[in-house]
Amino acid sequence: MTYVTVEKINKSFKGQTVLHDINLSFKQGEFVTLLGPSGCGKTTLLRILAGLIDPEQGVIKIDGKDVTHVKAKDRKIGMVFQSYALFPNMTVAENIAFGLKMKKLDKAAIQKKVARMVELTGLSGKENSYPRELSGGQQQRVALARSIVTGPKVLLLDEPLSALDAQIRKNLQKQLRAIQKELNMTTVLVTHDQEEAMAVSDRIYILNEGYIAQSGTPHEIYTKPVNEFVARFIGNYNVFKGEELSLLTRGTEFPHKLYAVRPEAFTSQMIDNGLEIIGKVDKVMMLGNVTRYELFSNGVSVTAEHLHKSNEDIQEGTLKTLYIDKKDVISLA
Amino acid sequence: MKIKRPFYHYLTIGAVLLYLIVPLLGTLIYSFSTQWHKTILPEGLTFHWYKELFGDSVFLKAMGRSLILSFGATVLSLVIMVPTIFSIVVYAPRLEKFIQSLIVLTYAMPGVIIAVGLIRAYANSGISMVVVTVGAYFVGILPYMYQGTRNSLRNIHAVSLMEAAEILGAGQFTAFLKVILPNIMTGILVSSLLSFSILFGEFVLVNLLVGGSFETIQVFLYKKLNVSGHIASAIVVCYFILICILSVVIVKVTRSKKETV
């Protein structure tokens, strides 16, 4: 059953429309990501959900209740900000307890809930520390604990991991997802990082210039991009015109305007009824477990990726034959 | 490796220090001297001028008036300006440019022109000129209060903190009181001390607006200049000690602020 509904949301700043008729819906306990490049409107949409910005048109419903004009403080949502926005004058415990105090809970209940959150977010021993005494990862966890301790109906995350280094970010992605699942909390994440979106989400909405370009599960989004923007934004898809693909495959007919092919869909092993591309290897890059290179054929460049194997030596300047299954050539709208 | 500093560097620094210290030292010694007219060093040292100064009820009253005027204007500015600046920075940032232009105007107006304008406007209005002086002081310290408070609000990312507090269920007033105010207190304190010390030394406005009818320490000093140089020096020394104390407090507060950031 739908838990959060966003219907026909429109918003403009200084006469420029940043959100056009946005419709979203997600179920209780779902982890939804709003993914898109800078300036696509994802943060504005999140802030509208939070009640920090009023939409010009449209309706927001949470748990069946119209909250479009409900103040942020009464909306029963939690939010983690990009800058964490921890209160510098308060300790970790006081930061976490703030929302509970605003709800006027008794002292014993506050202490119990704070202790549970401290344990859940791995902050034991840091209760009496001030935010300035914590690392970026610890601050992020305090912000998370503070936002979920009040038991919000929806948790909103505004690029909460973007300021952290890669290793900590990956660990926190796992923790975030584990905590979200444990609490079965409906969560909306805003990010521009497609890998992060793929790693944590049940469903992804891709935004571009204020429109929803595509929505679906991470698998659907990755394997079936519906247009050029999504294909280019998700992963390193090759986007070919029909005639370029005909040139590459020496005459095979491709009637549509644009096609997308994932770089890892190319293989060195022959495929029955597959397409064959012969070209010169260029720009070989070792990316850890993956080798990426370009193949030039008939003036068209193809980016291909293979799992790194010690017995397969890919040399720049050599001729190479690649094969691709026809079903991996996706026609774009 | 130790960097060699040329001799003339020390010479320049020494000359500047001498230029700054000699008048102060001269004033200090003169305030303790029995007579210092015909000799290189004072003829004798005495506490007489300080005894006379602190025994003079007019001096103590003048000191009290200066404190009341400066403190009153500073408190008034705190009560009115801090919430106003907060509202502008958090809720109406578009107004910032306009407010800044207004504040620059207070620098552009010479004290004499302000005083003449105020006298013409309020002399026959029935409003006490002491109140008018407090109002003028309020405007005079606007730049210090505005810059200090605005910078503090920006440093703590007041907008995000307010949003976080409101999402956690706090009303705007509660969020301001519990989250914003404690975090900008140091900045406000520094601005207030700075404003207070500037107002305490103000002479032009107070002399022209209230003059003899509400004698402050600066007006008292001006009068004593024609009576006794020794007493005038003692007043300057007292004033300087008070400003030094304020400066030390400002430095201490600023340091503790840096340590906590």
Side-chain angles (χ1 to χ4, degrees), chain B residues 133-152:
Chain B
T133 309
V134 171
Y137 276 6
F138 174 87
V139 175
I141 58 171
L142 264 183
Y144 312 104
M145 294 305 291
Y146 178 76
Q147 294 292 349
T149 311
R150 189 198 60 170
N151 291 348
S152 299

Side-chain angles (χ1 to χ4, degrees), chain A residues 19 38 42 66 77 82 89 130 165 178 187 190 210 238 246 314:
Chain A
L19 292 173
S38 295
K42 57 190 187 298
D66 185 344
I77 45 130
Q82 195 171 4
N89 58 318
Y130 283 90
D165 64 55
T187 304
V190 156
N238 292 281
S246 295
I314 302 164

Side-chain angles (χ1 to χ4, degrees), chain A residues 89-327:
Chain A
N89 58 318
M90 296 180 197
T91 62
V92 167
E94 287 167 345
N95 261 283
I96 298 172
F98 186 85
L100 301 171
K101 282 181 186 165
M102 293 301 111
K103 280 184 151 186
K104 300 196 184 334
L105 261 68
D106 66 74
K107 212 172 174 184
I110 291 174
Q111 277 178 348
K112 199 177 161 191
K113 280 178 183 270
V114 169
R116 156 109 173 94
M117 274 305 129
V118 165
E119 196 192 327
L120 186 72
T121 49
L123 286 164
S124 299
K126 297 284 175 191
E127 296 90 333
N128 297 317
S129 302
Y130 283 90
R132 61 178 176 274
E133 296 163 350
L134 304 176
S135 68
Q138 287 167 335
Q139 288 185 29
Q140 199 274 343
R141 279 183 275 155
V142 178
L144 181 66
R146 188 181 66 175
S147 62
I148 57 180
V149 73
T150 53
K153 288 184 170 179
V154 183
L155 174 64
L156 307 176
L157 308 166
D158 185 7
E159 306 215 29
L161 309 175
S162 63
L164 303 170
D165 64 55
Q167 193 67 37
I168 296 170
R169 194 161 67 230
K170 283 191 175 157
N171 284 336
L172 282 173
Q173 279 170 9
K174 283 182 204 161
Q175 280 187 27
L176 185 64
R177 182 62 161 150
I179 291 170
Q180 183 266 337
K181 277 192 170 172
E182 189 179 333
L183 301 176
N184 193 36
M185 189 163 281
T186 313
T187 304
V188 185
L189 168 73
V190 156
T191 182
H192 60 268
D193 182 341
Q194 56 270 42
E195 265 185 52
E196 187 171 291
M198 296 280 170
V200 298
S201 315
D202 292 315
R203 182 198 297 263
I204 297 172
Y205 285 89
I206 298 181
L207 273 90
N208 182 32
E209 294 178 350
Y211 292 95
I212 291 176
Q214 188 174 353
S215 68
T217 63
H219 184 261
E220 282 166 356
I221 295 269
Y222 190 69
T223 54
K224 291 169 192 158
V226 294
N227 57 37
E228 185 182 358
F229 170 79
V230 177
R232 288 194 190 277
F233 191 70
I234 293 285
N236 297 299
Y237 264 91
N238 292 281
V239 178
F240 301 113
K241 290 176 186 165
E243 54 267 35
E244 284 177 335
L245 214 47
S246 295
L247 276 172
L248 276 173
T249 54
R250 287 169 292 167
T252 314
E253 286 275 317
F254 288 96
H256 296 288
K257 199 178 169 189
L258 284 175
Y259 292 87
V261 184
R262 282 176 285 125
E264 70 275 17
F266 295 101
T267 171
S268 303
Q269 271 79 50
M270 189 182 279
I271 298 171
D272 289 340
N273 296 320
L275 300 165
E276 185 189 76
I277 299 169
I278 301 168
K280 203 176 191 179
V281 175
D282 192 19
K283 293 178 188 165
V284 179
M285 276 193 285
M286 244 289 287
L287 307 171
N289 60 337
V290 168
T291 303
R292 181 183 295 164
Y293 57 96
E294 287 185 16
L295 197 79
F296 279 98
S297 178
N298 290 332
V300 182
S301 170
V302 175
T303 301
E305 285 178 0
H306 293 318
L307 273 177
H308 182 70
K309 289 172 194 161
S310 55
N311 60 355
E312 190 177 14
D313 193 18
I314 302 164
Q315 293 284 342
E316 283 187 15
T318 57
L319 277 177
K320 188 164 180 65
T321 305
L322 291 177
Y323 301 91
I324 185 159
D325 198 322
K326 280 178 183 167
K327 69 174 171 35

Side-chain angles (χ1 to χ4, degrees), chain A residues 47 73 86-89 132, chain B residues 163 166 178-179 183 260:
Chain A
R47 290 172 69 79
K73 77 182 185 78
L86 297 177
F87 306 140
N89 58 318
R132 61 178 176 274
Chain B
E163 287 177 350
E166 283 181 45
K178 298 212 172 203
V179 177
N183 287 305
T260 58

Side-chain angles (χ1 to χ4, degrees), chain B residues 110-122 205 208-209:
Chain B
V112 176
I113 292 177
I114 294 175
V116 171
L118 289 171
I119 288 167
R120 285 185 71 91
Y122 293 101
L205 275 175
L208 290 171
L209 291 177

